[in-house]
Amino acid sequence: MKQVVQAASGGAVRVVDVPVPVIGPTEVLVATVATIVSAGTERAVTTLARSGLLTKARARPDLVRKVAEKARTDGLIPAARSVRDRLGADVPLGYSGCGRVVEVGSAVDRIRPGDLVATGGAGRANHAEFQAVPGLLCARVPGGVDPGAAAFATIGSIALHGLRLAEVGPGAKVVVVGLGLVGQLAARLALASGCDVAGIDLADLPLVTAEASGVRALRESGEATTAAVRAWSRGRGADAVLICAAGRSAEPVMRATALARDRAQLVVVGDVGLGLLRAPFYDKELTLRFARSYGPGRYERGYEEWGVDYPAGQVRWTEGRNQEAVLDLLAADRLRVDDLVTHAFPIDAAPRAYEIVATRSEPYLGIRFDYPASAASERVGSERVGSERVGSERVGSERVGSAVAGAALAHSAGPTRDRSVSPRPRVPRQRSAPAGRRGSRVGWIGAGTFSGSVLLPAFRAAGFDQLVTVASAGGRSARAFADRHGFAGAVAGADAVLDDDDVDVVVIATPHATHADLAARALERGRHVWCEKPLALSLDELNRVEKAAATGGGVLVVGYNRRFSPAVTAARAALADRDGPLTLSYRIAAGPVPADHWYNDRVQGGRLLGEVCHFVDTCAALAGSEVDTVTALAGREAELLLAPDVAVTLRHADGSLSAISYSSARPRGVRKEHLEALAGSRHVRIDDYRELVIDGRSTWKGPQDKGHHAAAAAFLRMCRGSDTGVTAELLASSRATLAAADALGAEVPRSPARLGS
């Protein structure tokens, strides 16, 4: 399908061919009829993309801090590789459209295939022939509303939410500063609500268009304009001012203070500067509010990704219900938008539209993209659409849309418990690769930053040189990943990789909740599997993977890379002749993560299952002995499974003891990982995988090496039958990590039954 994108590294807007996205249970697949360009928002995206690195850094200091931290902890080369990978990505454009429903997720109510719906959601409702849209951001279009008009619903919701925050009703005097597309819609919605509306702008086209709709149109001219607003409002000033302008200057906000009455509401809807003076706000005791996009629910994972709606009795106007309100006004002919469209282009000509937006070579307001009517029929005829796909889950670099993710898991703090590691099913010695499966042809599932900047370079260096296809849920990131890294093809959804007979090796680098299902299905098909950690988030999942590994014929490796690092390899050799059990101490200063990080998503298993598993495996590798007993404690800062600070102790079968102290602290000057091992007269210390010290003497030192390259090389040898492999040890470490979660008293997340389609 065709999609409009902007490369993060700059250049012109492009129309690219990408796979049709795969939907999750809370999503809807829509064949697009029309989309509307939100010029202000999209111009900001394209302008930033085309700017230099210094400008990008000034615009996103949060990302600069992340890069600096990565450089400090992982080194300059990995940090630079990560930046290059991000800059190589394509940014999808668009967020407001309309189309016909092709496919409906199992958790979506009130929408059926064939419905005409308005769509919303940046990153989902794109300028693309097909959109995978959250069900709560799809609103059925009433009869009689033209699809081109319905495509305005989401942009209209932005204006409507700003108007709601202004708390005005019939007879109120409302001023709209900035009569671009959002400003025009805000003015018309205020008129439809019974308000008297004045609009202010500098350009002719916005003023003429606003006046034709019944707005008192005023050209900005300083004091004369203020005087006109005063006269119009009987000397009081406006009851509310909606600031719909865009730009770096704070002048639109400061102008609003002169236009407003005492104790009026000022609502910032557009992206404006905020270098404000206190006195004008204080003198009139003005209320300054900021409208967050389309309304309650925006940027909230529970609402947008997991499909958990707010009760109407508690939150009457969510972003989805704002869409419905705009559509109802269109249906009642109380809102008109047809005259706002100044330009219409077929999707193929989208770059021309963005030239107009960037250069302002022509006056414009609304720009509409139209899509070929044959798109849906071609999709139905050529790809997987139908009842067998309804309710399939979505996986990939973007997200997992779990229908059950909104359900609360109650994790109350309790006393620590010892947990013996449950006996694992017998896993026969790994068989050699079956005929025709020699580990040459790679199918990659998940096109995230880690995949491109760390994992794939390691696989290339190991000798995996036949890159067949890459999959992501939405398809767009897979296409960009394939172009950037030399894959022959790109697809949407994991099934296209699992079912491809040209693929020998499946690499799984998707969100954690999908790992076990994808690994088991790939192994059952006889594929060799590399699965990033964690392998499983429950014992049932792990048992299924072990069974598939024992019977499928392919080899299995989990991405526990530290055991393959030069430091751990040399330390194991030094400790091989020890005369007693080990005592291991592993301290990790992992650092804090933002509140919206996936580590804080219970569905993905938290830090214990998602990262501490690495250290459990490293201790088992150094001890050369499986874990038989686990105890664990968590701090009090969060529910048990998501605790940022965890202490885990392990007793190994040979009597060795390991203590893992995982902290969310990261003091300056302190490296992330420090490991010490004592046994009789032997002392081994590993300093952040940069140095190995044995009995007081530095025996290895170099750039940080956590073993990714060596792990990939070992995997290739296993695929080709020249290495007996470490599958049983990796499975045992996975089982020990699950025992640690059980020892906390934490419920492990329940994954959906089927993932990765």
Side-chain angles (χ1 to χ4, degrees), residues 204-221:
D204 292 335
L205 177 61
L207 291 169
V208 170
T209 305
E211 189 167 39
S213 70
V215 173
R216 182 180 179 87
L218 302 171
R219 191 180 302 274
E220 174 56 48
S221 55

mmCIF file of all heavy atoms in Angstrom, residues 204-221:
data_model
loop_
_atom_site.group_PDB
_atom_site.id
_atom_site.type_symbol
_atom_site.label_atom_id
_atom_site.label_comp_id
_atom_site.label_asym_id
_atom_site.label_seq_id
_atom_site.Cartn_x
_atom_site.Cartn_y
_atom_site.Cartn_z
ATOM 1 N N ASP A 204 -5.413 37.323 3.970
ATOM 2 C CA ASP A 204 -6.711 37.563 3.336
ATOM 3 C C ASP A 204 -7.597 36.328 3.319
ATOM 4 O O ASP A 204 -8.779 36.385 3.687
ATOM 5 C CB ASP A 204 -6.507 38.059 1.895
ATOM 6 C CG ASP A 204 -5.895 39.447 1.848
ATOM 7 O OD1 ASP A 204 -6.063 40.199 2.838
ATOM 8 O OD2 ASP A 204 -5.241 39.779 0.832
ATOM 9 N N LEU A 205 -7.051 35.183 2.840
ATOM 10 C CA LEU A 205 -7.884 33.993 2.669
ATOM 11 C C LEU A 205 -8.542 33.562 3.978
ATOM 12 O O LEU A 205 -9.761 33.308 3.999
ATOM 13 C CB LEU A 205 -7.061 32.846 2.079
ATOM 14 C CG LEU A 205 -7.792 31.510 1.912
ATOM 15 C CD1 LEU A 205 -8.986 31.655 0.970
ATOM 16 C CD2 LEU A 205 -6.836 30.427 1.427
ATOM 17 N N PRO A 206 -7.839 33.471 5.093
ATOM 18 C CA PRO A 206 -8.509 33.087 6.333
ATOM 19 C C PRO A 206 -9.596 34.073 6.751
ATOM 20 O O PRO A 206 -10.662 33.661 7.232
ATOM 21 C CB PRO A 206 -7.368 33.045 7.356
ATOM 22 C CG PRO A 206 -6.135 32.847 6.561
ATOM 23 C CD PRO A 206 -6.373 33.568 5.279
ATOM 24 N N LEU A 207 -9.341 35.359 6.560
ATOM 25 C CA LEU A 207 -10.326 36.358 6.971
ATOM 26 C C LEU A 207 -11.582 36.285 6.110
ATOM 27 O O LEU A 207 -12.707 36.319 6.620
ATOM 28 C CB LEU A 207 -9.705 37.753 6.894
ATOM 29 C CG LEU A 207 -8.607 38.039 7.933
ATOM 30 C CD1 LEU A 207 -7.873 39.341 7.608
ATOM 31 C CD2 LEU A 207 -9.212 38.109 9.338
ATOM 32 N N VAL A 208 -11.398 36.172 4.808
ATOM 33 C CA VAL A 208 -12.550 36.085 3.903
ATOM 34 C C VAL A 208 -13.367 34.827 4.198
ATOM 35 O O VAL A 208 -14.609 34.860 4.243
ATOM 36 C CB VAL A 208 -12.076 36.101 2.436
ATOM 37 C CG1 VAL A 208 -13.223 35.762 1.491
ATOM 38 C CG2 VAL A 208 -11.480 37.462 2.087
ATOM 39 N N THR A 209 -12.674 33.702 4.404
ATOM 40 C CA THR A 209 -13.367 32.438 4.666
ATOM 41 C C THR A 209 -14.126 32.494 5.984
ATOM 42 O O THR A 209 -15.274 32.031 6.076
ATOM 43 C CB THR A 209 -12.362 31.270 4.686
ATOM 44 O OG1 THR A 209 -11.621 31.262 3.464
ATOM 45 C CG2 THR A 209 -13.069 29.941 4.854
ATOM 46 N N ALA A 210 -13.512 33.055 7.010
ATOM 47 C CA ALA A 210 -14.178 33.152 8.310
ATOM 48 C C ALA A 210 -15.400 34.058 8.234
ATOM 49 O O ALA A 210 -16.466 33.744 8.787
ATOM 50 C CB ALA A 210 -13.191 33.669 9.350
ATOM 51 N N GLU A 211 -15.273 35.181 7.556
ATOM 52 C CA GLU A 211 -16.402 36.109 7.453
ATOM 53 C C GLU A 211 -17.579 35.468 6.731
ATOM 54 O O GLU A 211 -18.744 35.662 7.097
ATOM 55 C CB GLU A 211 -15.957 37.379 6.732
ATOM 56 C CG GLU A 211 -16.996 38.496 6.777
ATOM 57 C CD GLU A 211 -16.417 39.822 6.329
ATOM 58 O OE1 GLU A 211 -15.624 39.824 5.373
ATOM 59 O OE2 GLU A 211 -16.771 40.849 6.937
ATOM 60 N N ALA A 212 -17.289 34.672 5.702
ATOM 61 C CA ALA A 212 -18.354 34.011 4.950
ATOM 62 C C ALA A 212 -19.115 33.011 5.808
ATOM 63 O O ALA A 212 -20.268 32.675 5.502
ATOM 64 C CB ALA A 212 -17.759 33.320 3.733
ATOM 65 N N SER A 213 -18.491 32.513 6.884
ATOM 66 C CA SER A 213 -19.152 31.541 7.752
ATOM 67 C C SER A 213 -19.925 32.197 8.889
ATOM 68 O O SER A 213 -20.548 31.504 9.690
ATOM 69 C CB SER A 213 -18.113 30.578 8.345
ATOM 70 O OG SER A 213 -17.291 31.238 9.286
ATOM 71 N N GLY A 214 -19.893 33.532 8.978
ATOM 72 C CA GLY A 214 -20.620 34.231 10.028
ATOM 73 C C GLY A 214 -19.762 34.768 11.138
ATOM 74 O O GLY A 214 -20.274 35.332 12.119
ATOM 75 N N VAL A 215 -18.455 34.633 11.037
ATOM 76 C CA VAL A 215 -17.518 35.127 12.050
ATOM 77 C C VAL A 215 -17.243 36.611 11.794
ATOM 78 O O VAL A 215 -17.160 37.054 10.642
ATOM 79 C CB VAL A 215 -16.201 34.331 11.998
ATOM 80 C CG1 VAL A 215 -15.150 34.926 12.919
ATOM 81 C CG2 VAL A 215 -16.464 32.868 12.349
ATOM 82 N N ARG A 216 -17.110 37.395 12.844
ATOM 83 C CA ARG A 216 -16.668 38.784 12.711
ATOM 84 C C ARG A 216 -15.162 38.753 12.486
ATOM 85 O O ARG A 216 -14.398 38.493 13.411
ATOM 86 C CB ARG A 216 -17.014 39.584 13.950
ATOM 87 C CG ARG A 216 -16.624 41.065 13.854
ATOM 88 C CD ARG A 216 -16.992 41.790 15.132
ATOM 89 N NE ARG A 216 -16.620 43.181 15.083
ATOM 90 C CZ ARG A 216 -17.378 44.166 14.574
ATOM 91 N NH1 ARG A 216 -18.574 43.861 14.071
ATOM 92 N NH2 ARG A 216 -16.962 45.421 14.594
ATOM 93 N N ALA A 217 -14.732 38.968 11.260
ATOM 94 C CA ALA A 217 -13.324 38.813 10.877
ATOM 95 C C ALA A 217 -12.580 40.125 11.052
ATOM 96 O O ALA A 217 -12.995 41.160 10.511
ATOM 97 C CB ALA A 217 -13.221 38.334 9.439
ATOM 98 N N LEU A 218 -11.486 40.091 11.804
ATOM 99 C CA LEU A 218 -10.694 41.281 12.103
ATOM 100 C C LEU A 218 -9.242 41.050 11.711
ATOM 101 O O LEU A 218 -8.627 40.071 12.143
ATOM 102 C CB LEU A 218 -10.775 41.611 13.597
ATOM 103 C CG LEU A 218 -12.179 41.862 14.175
ATOM 104 C CD1 LEU A 218 -12.113 41.948 15.689
ATOM 105 C CD2 LEU A 218 -12.779 43.130 13.585
ATOM 106 N N ARG A 219 -8.719 41.964 10.928
ATOM 107 C CA ARG A 219 -7.300 41.893 10.585
ATOM 108 C C ARG A 219 -6.486 42.428 11.764
ATOM 109 O O ARG A 219 -6.796 43.493 12.317
ATOM 110 C CB ARG A 219 -7.003 42.708 9.329
ATOM 111 C CG ARG A 219 -5.593 42.461 8.775
ATOM 112 C CD ARG A 219 -5.347 43.303 7.533
ATOM 113 N NE ARG A 219 -6.333 43.021 6.497
ATOM 114 C CZ ARG A 219 -6.221 42.031 5.612
ATOM 115 N NH1 ARG A 219 -5.169 41.219 5.644
ATOM 116 N NH2 ARG A 219 -7.170 41.835 4.708
ATOM 117 N N GLU A 220 -5.447 41.695 12.138
ATOM 118 C CA GLU A 220 -4.628 42.104 13.272
ATOM 119 C C GLU A 220 -3.914 43.421 12.978
ATOM 120 O O GLU A 220 -3.121 43.513 12.036
ATOM 121 C CB GLU A 220 -3.607 41.023 13.615
ATOM 122 C CG GLU A 220 -2.591 41.414 14.693
ATOM 123 C CD GLU A 220 -3.270 41.866 15.980
ATOM 124 O OE1 GLU A 220 -4.176 41.167 16.458
ATOM 125 O OE2 GLU A 220 -2.897 42.935 16.490
ATOM 126 N N SER A 221 -4.221 44.432 13.783
ATOM 127 C CA SER A 221 -3.558 45.735 13.632
ATOM 128 C C SER A 221 -3.347 46.401 14.985
ATOM 129 O O SER A 221 -3.463 47.627 15.116
ATOM 130 C CB SER A 221 -4.373 46.639 12.701
ATOM 131 O OG SER A 221 -5.706 46.759 13.176
#
